[in-house]
Amino acid sequence: MKTTCEFRFGFWDVTARGDAHFAVSQNQDYARIEDINAEDPIVFPNVATLEPDFGFPLDGSKEWLPDNARLTQWGWWSTDLSGGDLTFSNPPTLTVTFYDEDGTPTPHSSAGITFTFVATLPKTVNIKWYGYDGGLLADKDFTPDRFDYFCDWQVEDYYKVVVTVKSMKHAHRFFRASSILFGVLEILDDARVTSANLTEEISPVALTLPINKAEVSFYTPNSRFALLDPAGAYRLFQWKQELTAYKTVDSTRTMLGKYYLQEATGTVDAVTALSCVDMIGVLDTVEYKGGIYEKTPVSDLLNDILTPENVEFELDKSFDGVTLTGYLAIGSKRTALQQIAFAIGAVVDTARTEIVRFYPAPSEITKTITPERKIVGHKITMEALVTQVDITAHQYTLITDEVKELNKATFEVGEHTVTFSSPVSVTSVSGAAIVEKHPNYCIVNVTKAGEVILSGYGYEDTKTVYTVKTEPLPAGAKASAKSVTSATLVDPGKAQDVARRLYDYYQLRYTDEGQILPGQEQAAERAEVSSLGGRTLTGYIQRVVTDLSGGGLETITLRGR
């Protein structure tokens, strides 16, 4: 059995694409220069042109320019041909300025700029980087020798970039480029990786929302990422730079998921260590304002949480038409997703995909782990017997009998945000004007420093406990209960089902943890594994830790019966 691993690390400025705005000195009428900045690669059509001895061969390899050419992504395609001396009389020039959605200029830093050229290579490309005040930070010529070419020149805190195509490798050719990237894609393969561990984990009943992790160390012989080099590339590591993991077992290649840089550390022996988390880990750092919900479709609530972060998700069809009634306090988006998943009975999974998936815990066995794949040393443990599960259901009602003082504080002039520990409905304010009101907060604008009083109504939380228990108790058994009181999206209509799911989960009392030979096991799968005495343990794979640099050995944790 042969195993290899590969990591594709996006060593680029993570906000440059969103802040980049483009202007070009020349481009074909049907081409949009903004397409050069697309996240997905452009497939540049191989169309016939009037370029001598190149653009119109008689072998049928070229296609005609489509009538609806503007519906195709072209990127940057010059209108002029290079001259007989390979240069342009009017050199194609691209100017990129960086500013946010409010129009505020933004600084960016990268190890260089990567272009994808098409059809014919340029001979000389000049790039100039400019600072905040318009001063020239760097001016460098590059001579591309491949179509995906990295212009390797580290510049920090630039606000504008000007790219000029000085010449082409051949006379009478158009210049074409389909992509620009403010950084470089680092390919980390077996030859460079010194250690790599991937942790994939789920909770079948969403009691928690685990964060998948990738820990990768790699060798850089030229000390490019040396920690002690004050001008080195180590300074360019950024939160949320992307790492995509792959493993190959006997020629079967598997994408293991997309991860995001949390921390990078360097050592004196030219080894750089990357600590990365999945999208759940990213969402753990993003605040969600929460709110009061009344029969809100699950898909709508997930859209509200994930779409602002440009996160694609997939909701299993079994949840079509499912709604949520209840309350979410201000907290992280990870916490909000856990509350949703717990209420509806969904597994939340990011492993081996680029999206967040929500689906019921599987009921069918899809994997069988035979004794031949088990490595000596598996540990079997048994959890204490749980004989009762109590779930507290919440029902929120706005109490309008009496207007109450919700908050009183002294504020200086300006906008201020008042947050509430429980949901409210603000009806009036004295000493300020309401800018925005919400069940969890209120933004007020104070024009004169002084006391500000917010008034309105509060919500009453009616709590009801739903129970599932073992009746009668087994002989000699001691009653033991588990309870969940803080699931604020569990209303009375859902509580009994939630209690049953959790009770059934706690009856899976046996856990098998140990190493197995490389395979395609995934967290959340329902599997059976041979156990002590030739018996079989059946349950959910809750955790898979893969040593990608150590032969792809997997340490699995399966909870079952």
Side-chain angles (χ1 to χ4, degrees):
M1 179 181 292
K2 181 180 180 181
T3 64
T4 60
C5 66
E6 179 183 287
F7 298 90
R8 295 179 172 235
F9 179 55
F11 191 52
W12 50 67
D13 188 298
V14 297
T15 59
R17 173 176 280 125
D19 290 348
H21 296 79
F22 297 85
V24 67
S25 64
Q26 54 175 282
N27 208 14
Q28 296 289 343
D29 291 342
Y30 43 80
R32 296 178 299 273
I33 190 58
E34 294 78 11
D35 290 344
I36 201 175
N37 194 38
E39 186 169 356
D40 296 324
I42 291 176
V43 178
F44 210 98
N46 186 23
V47 298
T49 69
L50 297 179
E51 295 162 284
D53 301 322
F54 176 76
F56 201 175
L58 300 179
D59 58 3
S61 61
K62 301 280 187 177
E63 58 186 90
W64 294 110
L65 185 72
D67 293 335
N68 54 352
R70 288 192 61 82
L71 298 180
T72 301
Q73 289 183 309
W74 302 93
W76 187 9
W77 186 338
S78 69
T79 55
D80 293 351
L81 296 169
S82 58
D85 62 353
L86 309 183
T87 66
F88 292 92
S89 57
N90 177 28
T93 302
L94 173 69
T95 301
V96 188
T97 52
F98 299 91
Y99 52 87
D100 62 20
E101 58 186 10
D102 297 323
T104 303
T106 56
H108 297 276
S109 301
S110 61
I113 297 176
T114 299
F115 289 95
T116 299
F117 302 115
V118 179
T120 304
L121 287 174
K123 180 180 180 182
T124 306
V125 174
N126 174 265
I127 305 179
K128 294 182 175 66
W129 292 262
Y130 296 88
Y132 178 77
D133 58 0
L136 184 65
L137 299 178
D139 182 346
K140 181 71 174 175
D141 282 346
F142 300 92
T143 54
D145 57 3
R146 61 183 66 90
F147 287 101
D148 288 310
Y149 182 76
F150 176 51
C151 300
D152 191 351
W153 198 255
Q154 180 172 324
V155 182
E156 299 179 46
D157 295 325
Y158 56 83
Y159 288 77
K160 184 173 77 169
V161 171
V162 177
V163 180
T164 303
V165 183
K166 289 185 172 182
S167 59
M168 300 294 291
K169 285 192 179 293
H170 300 280
H172 311 301
R173 297 289 175 88
F174 291 114
F175 167 76
R176 305 170 182 85
S178 63
S179 174
I180 186 172
L181 184 64
F182 300 96
V184 63
L185 181 66
E186 290 273 351
I187 306 297
L188 309 176
D189 56 16
D190 273 347
R192 295 184 63 185
V193 172
T194 58
S195 69
N197 285 282
L198 207 66
T199 301
E200 302 165 310
E201 189 171 1
I202 58 90
S203 170
V205 289
L207 271 172
T208 62
L209 201 55
I211 296 171
N212 292 347
K213 297 179 180 180
E215 306 283 344
V216 182
S217 296
F218 63 96
Y219 178 63
T220 307
N222 57 8
S223 299
R224 179 180 186 182
F225 299 108
L227 183 61
L228 298 180
D229 182 357
Y234 180 84
R235 294 159 54 91
L236 303 179
F237 284 117
Q238 297 179 12
W239 160 240
K240 280 183 66 177
Q241 286 173 328
E242 296 177 0
L243 178 87
T244 306
Y246 299 86
K247 73 172 180 179
T248 301
V249 179
D250 289 339
S251 75
T252 300
R253 181 177 169 90
T254 303
M255 196 277 280
L256 298 177
K258 182 173 285 188
Y259 294 81
Y260 302 86
L261 182 65
Q262 185 178 48
E263 183 183 16
T265 55
T267 65
V268 294
D269 55 358
V271 173
T272 301
L274 305 179
S275 178
C276 304
V277 296
D278 68 351
M279 181 50 67
I280 301 302
V282 173
L283 294 172
D284 194 41
T285 68
V286 182
E287 185 181 65
Y288 184 60
K289 296 298 186 182
I292 287 286
Y293 307 96
E294 180 67 32
K295 295 182 179 179
T296 302
V298 173
S299 56
D300 290 357
L301 188 48
L302 292 177
N303 262 318
D304 189 53
I305 295 170
L306 297 175
T307 300
E309 310 309 319
N310 296 316
V311 176
E312 185 180 350
F313 70 91
E314 179 182 279
L315 182 64
D316 190 87
K317 290 185 180 298
S318 62
F319 298 117
D320 287 353
V322 176
T323 62
L324 289 167
T325 296
Y327 166 68
L328 286 175
I330 295 175
S332 74
K333 292 197 171 185
R334 175 193 178 196
T335 299
L337 293 181
Q338 184 273 326
Q339 288 271 8
I340 293 169
F342 184 76
I344 67 175
V347 173
V348 184
D349 189 6
T350 65
R352 310 188 187 193
T353 181
E354 296 186 4
I355 65 176
V356 181
R357 296 185 297 145
F358 300 82
Y359 55 86
S363 57
E364 295 184 4
I365 296 172
T366 55
K367 286 287 190 304
T368 298
I369 300 172
T370 60
E372 292 77 14
R373 290 187 58 206
K374 293 181 67 175
I375 295 175
V376 175
H378 277 241
K379 181 181 179 182
I380 305 291
T381 58
M382 185 175 70
E383 302 291 335
L385 176 65
V386 173
T387 62
Q388 179 173 320
V389 168
D390 298 321
I391 298 293
T392 299
H394 299 261
Q395 190 168 14
Y396 294 87
T397 306
L398 184 64
I399 304 302
T400 58
D401 296 345
E402 179 184 358
V403 175
K404 297 180 179 181
E405 182 179 284
L406 303 175
N407 184 269
K408 181 167 66 175
T410 300
F411 291 122
E412 297 296 323
V413 173
E415 278 195 359
H416 302 273
T417 300
V418 178
T419 58
F420 306 106
S421 58
S422 59
V424 303
S425 175
V426 176
T427 59
S428 63
V429 61
S430 64
I434 295 176
V435 176
E436 181 184 350
K437 57 182 180 179
H438 183 278
N440 287 328
Y441 65 91
C442 185
I443 301 175
V444 296
N445 183 44
V446 178
T447 56
K448 183 180 179 180
E451 187 177 74
V452 175
I453 300 175
L454 294 171
S455 301
Y457 305 116
Y459 284 82
E460 181 179 81
D461 180 10
T462 302
K463 300 175 183 178
T464 308
V465 177
Y466 290 76
T467 299
V468 174
K469 60 183 178 180
T470 305
E471 291 181 324
L473 283 177
K478 179 182 179 181
S480 175
K482 296 281 188 179
S483 63
V484 176
T485 62
S486 58
T488 53
L489 287 179
V490 175
D491 63 22
K494 288 185 171 59
Q496 196 66 47
D497 289 340
V498 173
R500 171 55 65 183
R501 278 196 298 270
L502 197 54
Y503 175 85
D504 290 344
Y505 171 73
Y506 281 124
Q507 304 318 301
L508 305 176
R509 297 177 58 195
Y510 296 94
T511 299
D512 182 323
E513 182 174 358
Q515 283 189 320
I516 61 174
L517 295 176
Q520 298 296 329
E521 282 70 31
Q522 289 185 236
E525 286 186 307
R526 189 166 175 80
E528 56 183 14
V529 57
S530 62
S531 187
L532 296 176
R535 297 183 179 180
T536 298
L537 186 64
T538 301
Y540 296 104
I541 298 176
Q542 296 194 150
R543 194 167 188 252
V544 179
V545 179
T546 307
D547 183 357
L548 291 168
S549 61
L553 294 179
E554 300 170 355
T555 300
I556 67 163
T557 303
L558 181 143
R559 180 166 178 160
R561 62 170 66 174

